[in-house]
């Protein structure tokens, strides 16, 4: 009797804790909603999200009706979309009569992929309240919901579970400092248990899930390996790039931030190497930021938007002041630098250039990106702490053909080794 009493007591305490957390969480969501509406008056990006979420239910009601069989794909932002795309494409091709709803939380995902051909409807995900979750699911009535990597919303997942909807998490990557693995994370652990199956990127994530009692896992790897591998199957040629390069060595700087660009300003201004050309694709294409970068370069610089007005081959630096071209531009690179890790904004996609078999440089703050450490350990990527390290390794890669070729080939081999996550997921999802 004592054992039974203790068991019931523990269950009651756990229920109270979860209930308290739910109250705090739901109150917090309401507060965030209020703050976002106020902040939207001063921030264009937040305004896009607030206005977009306001239209979501109307858009869904116009495009989805009861006879439709529906899949729901959710991504936090653009990176998660690119990660999930190989799976989405397979399901789109296999289930042609189904309607597909694609949702984003971030404007940086929605605004760029709002016309995605893999979906019938693309919307902003309304904030995670019980009312929104219930209304959202009552409209789309999905047979299957796929979440990518993270953006795990407890109320939506609880509603999916209550409606017996198959719900899968793909390309998941967990760290032990996340709330799911903390003593106060019971509500969020409960959300994880609503997933029918979780496909993880690595064994460590599976081990963390096992430590909290979740066992429906498969280490499938990262679907981005399949995504970037598909880049090799398409035509990546860009005539204006070929005109600019004029058969000279090409260094591509992808998704750069000011901290990254500062390294190149100093390097380019000090080297004056006419046999090397630089293509810079900034993460932020605001005119003021690009002009600031351009003004610091002591060499001939041309913007993508000027390409039809001047002789491209006469310039040393080409700045891509548009979006959507970087994946193809990497195919022309002899060396790539991927931005975000010199500062604290977060490292951008290193697999995109790696698939083309070229060496890669990144900044020092890459600890939250396991694939980056793997590429470094594998010998194809180099993390730099400061200008001196940057100058040293970049100079060696430029001047030593053998070192550059061997380093790059290690990246291509790494990508080839770890692709194949998509087929595992699709085989599991047979509907």
């Amino acid at each position: 009797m004592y054992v039974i009493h203790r068991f019931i007591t523990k269950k009651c305490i756990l229920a109270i804790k979860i209930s308290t957390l739910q109250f705090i969480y739901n109150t917090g969501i309401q507060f965030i909603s209020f703050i976002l509406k106020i902040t939207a008056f001063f921030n264009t990006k937040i305004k896009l999200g607030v206005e977009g979420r306001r239209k979501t239910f109307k858009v869904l009601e116009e495009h989805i009706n009861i006879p439709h069989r529906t899949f729901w794909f959710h991504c936090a932002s653009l990176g998660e979309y690119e990660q999930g795309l190989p799976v989405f494409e397979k399901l789109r091709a296999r289930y042609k009569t189904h309607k597909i709803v694609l949702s984003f939380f971030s404007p940086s995902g929605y605004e760029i992929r709002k016309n995605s051909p893999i979906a019938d409807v693309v919307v902003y995900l309304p904030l995670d309240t019980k009312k929104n979750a219930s209304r959202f699911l009552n409209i789309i009535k999905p047979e299957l919901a796929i979440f990518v990597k993270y953006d795990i919303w407890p109320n939506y997942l609880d509603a999916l579970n209550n409606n017996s909807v198959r719900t899968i998490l793909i390309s998941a990557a967990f760290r032990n400092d996340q709330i799911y693995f903390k003593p106060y994370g019971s509500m969020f652990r409960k959300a994880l248990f609503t997933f029918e199956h979780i496909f993880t990127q690595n064994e460590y994530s599976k081990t963390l899930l096992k430590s909290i009692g979740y066992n429906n896992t498969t280490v499938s790897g990262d679907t981005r390996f399949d995504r970037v591998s598909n880049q090799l199957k398409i035509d990546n040629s860009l005539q204006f790039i070929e005109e600019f390069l004029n058969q000279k060595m090409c260094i591509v700087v992808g998704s750069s931030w000011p901290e990254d660009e500062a390294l190149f300003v100093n390097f380019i201004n000090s080297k004056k190497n006419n046999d090397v050309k630089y293509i810079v694709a900034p993460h932020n294409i605001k005119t003021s930021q690009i002009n600031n970068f351009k003004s610091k370069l002591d060499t001939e610089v041309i913007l993508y938007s000027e390409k039809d007005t001047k002789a491209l081959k006469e310039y040393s630096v080409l700045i891509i002041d548009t979006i959507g071209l970087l994946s193809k531009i990497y195919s022309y690179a002899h060396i790539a630098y991927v931005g975000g890790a010199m500062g604290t904004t977060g490292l951008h996609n290193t697999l995109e250039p790696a698939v083309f078999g070229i060496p890669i440089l990144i900044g020092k703050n890459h600890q939250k990106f396991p694939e980056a450490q793997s590429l470094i350990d594998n010998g194809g990527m180099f993390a730099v702490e400061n200008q001196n390290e940057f100058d040293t390794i970049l100079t060696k890669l430029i001047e030593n053909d053998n070192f550059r070729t061997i380093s790059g080939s290690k990246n291509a081999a790494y990508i080839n080794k770890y692709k194949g996550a998509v087929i595992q997921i699709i085989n599991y999802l047979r509907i």
Side-chain angles (χ1 to χ4, degrees):
M1 181 64 72
Y2 173 73
V3 173
I4 295 174
H5 179 264
R6 286 202 60 185
F7 175 78
I8 293 173
T9 302
K10 285 183 178 180
K11 287 290 184 181
C12 289
I13 292 172
L14 179 60
I16 291 170
K17 286 181 178 179
I18 292 176
S19 178
T20 302
L21 284 170
Q22 287 173 336
F23 174 78
I24 294 171
Y25 177 80
N26 290 327
T27 302
I29 291 291
Q30 296 293 345
F31 179 70
I32 289 170
S33 176
F34 173 75
I35 294 298
L36 288 175
K37 289 174 183 177
I38 298 300
T39 311
F41 288 104
F42 313 100
N43 185 295
T44 302
K45 184 176 179 180
I46 291 175
K47 183 179 180 181
L48 286 170
V50 169
E51 292 183 348
R53 273 178 257 281
R54 191 179 294 128
K55 300 173 184 176
T56 292
F57 293 120
K58 182 180 179 182
V59 171
L60 290 175
E61 287 167 347
E62 289 174 352
H63 291 86
I64 304 294
N65 54 54
I66 292 173
H68 292 140
R69 300 178 67 185
T70 308
F71 292 158
W72 172 28
F73 305 151
H74 176 66
C75 308
S77 191
L78 183 61
E80 290 70 42
Y81 169 85
E82 298 296 337
Q83 203 160 23
L85 187 58
V87 175
F88 302 161
E89 288 174 332
K90 291 287 186 183
L91 290 172
R92 169 90 283 180
R94 184 171 292 183
Y95 302 99
K96 294 182 174 64
T97 61
H98 280 64
K99 286 276 188 175
I100 292 179
V101 175
L102 171 66
S103 63
F104 288 97
F105 187 80
S106 168
S108 60
Y110 174 85
E111 297 300 329
I112 295 174
R113 291 292 179 254
K114 59 187 174 185
N115 297 313
S116 171
I118 65 98
D120 298 283
V121 191
V122 183
V123 295
Y124 279 97
L125 184 71
L127 291 180
D128 186 35
T129 66
K130 289 185 177 182
K131 182 179 178 181
N132 284 343
S134 177
R135 187 178 178 187
F136 189 91
L137 294 183
N138 283 338
I139 296 172
I140 70 172
K141 293 181 169 58
E143 293 180 22
L144 170 70
I146 297 180
F147 285 54
V148 183
K149 193 175 181 179
Y150 51 61
D151 225 31
I152 295 169
W153 299 107
N155 286 321
Y156 277 100
L157 288 168
D158 189 51
L160 285 164
N161 187 52
N162 290 338
N163 284 276
S164 301
V165 179
R166 295 188 69 193
T167 307
I168 312 296
L169 180 63
I170 65 173
S171 286
F174 294 103
R175 306 184 310 275
N176 63 3
D177 61 349
Q178 291 175 303
I179 193 169
Y180 316 108
F181 313 107
K182 300 296 184 182
Y184 49 82
S186 55
M187 176 183 170
F188 296 92
R189 283 194 291 276
K190 180 185 175 186
L192 285 181
F193 276 80
T194 63
F195 287 107
E196 174 189 311
H197 203 88
I198 297 178
F199 290 89
T200 67
Q201 293 186 27
N202 49 55
E203 193 69 40
Y204 181 65
S205 294
K206 181 177 181 177
T207 300
L208 284 174
L209 289 171
K210 189 176 181 179
S211 73
I212 60 172
Y214 187 95
N215 296 305
N216 297 329
T217 60
T218 299
V219 182
S220 61
D222 190 338
T223 50
R224 285 183 302 164
F225 288 94
D226 297 87
R227 170 64 174 150
V228 298
S229 294
N230 289 339
Q231 194 71 31
L232 298 176
K233 302 174 184 177
I234 68 173
D235 181 8
N236 291 298
S237 60
L238 295 166
Q239 185 61 38
F240 76 93
I241 295 291
E242 294 172 14
E243 292 176 12
F244 167 73
L245 293 177
N246 196 26
Q247 299 184 332
K248 293 183 179 180
M249 178 177 285
C250 173
I251 298 175
V252 173
V253 186
S255 302
S256 60
W257 292 80
E259 299 92 341
D260 308 300
E261 292 158 6
L263 297 172
F264 279 92
V265 168
N266 295 328
F267 185 86
I268 293 171
N269 289 347
S270 64
K271 294 296 180 182
K272 301 292 194 308
N273 189 335
N274 293 326
D275 292 324
V276 178
K277 294 212 173 187
Y278 301 85
I279 302 174
V280 183
H283 176 75
N284 190 334
I285 57 172
K286 287 184 178 179
T287 301
S288 58
Q289 185 169 314
I290 288 176
N291 286 340
N292 182 50
F293 172 46
K294 182 180 176 182
S295 68
K296 295 176 182 177
L297 289 167
D298 185 21
T299 189
E300 296 296 321
V301 183
I302 187 169
L303 305 181
Y304 168 83
S305 56
E306 302 171 324
K307 66 181 175 59
D308 295 326
T309 63
K310 300 178 181 178
L312 287 169
K313 67 180 181 180
E314 303 299 325
Y315 293 83
S316 299
V317 178
L318 169 61
I319 299 177
I320 308 298
D321 55 344
T322 188
I323 59 174
L325 296 176
L326 184 56
S327 295
K328 288 190 174 186
I329 291 173
Y330 277 135
S331 71
Y332 288 93
H334 294 86
I335 304 164
Y337 178 97
V338 178
M342 205 63 207
T344 58
T345 52
L347 179 64
H348 291 278
N349 194 340
T350 55
L351 303 183
E352 282 189 336
V355 74
F356 291 108
I358 54 175
I360 303 167
L361 283 75
I362 61 171
K364 56 192 174 183
N365 300 315
H366 57 80
Q367 293 76 16
K368 293 184 178 180
F369 301 86
E371 74 279 2
Q373 190 59 56
S374 296
L375 286 165
I376 292 169
D377 294 340
N378 200 47
M381 191 159 75
F382 308 90
V384 297
E385 291 271 347
N386 50 49
Q387 186 75 51
N388 183 58
E389 287 187 8
F390 175 81
D391 292 351
T392 300
I393 188 62
L394 184 54
T395 300
K396 183 176 180 180
L397 286 168
I398 291 172
E399 297 178 353
N400 190 325
D401 293 347
N402 189 53
F403 176 62
R404 184 175 65 249
T405 300
I406 291 174
S407 300
S409 66
K410 291 177 179 178
N411 284 338
Y414 178 80
I415 297 292
N416 191 57
K417 179 180 179 181
Y418 288 104
K419 65 183 181 181
V422 172
I423 191 64
Q424 293 185 63
I425 295 168
I426 294 299
N427 285 342
Y428 174 86
L429 285 175
R430 293 195 183 279
I431 297 168

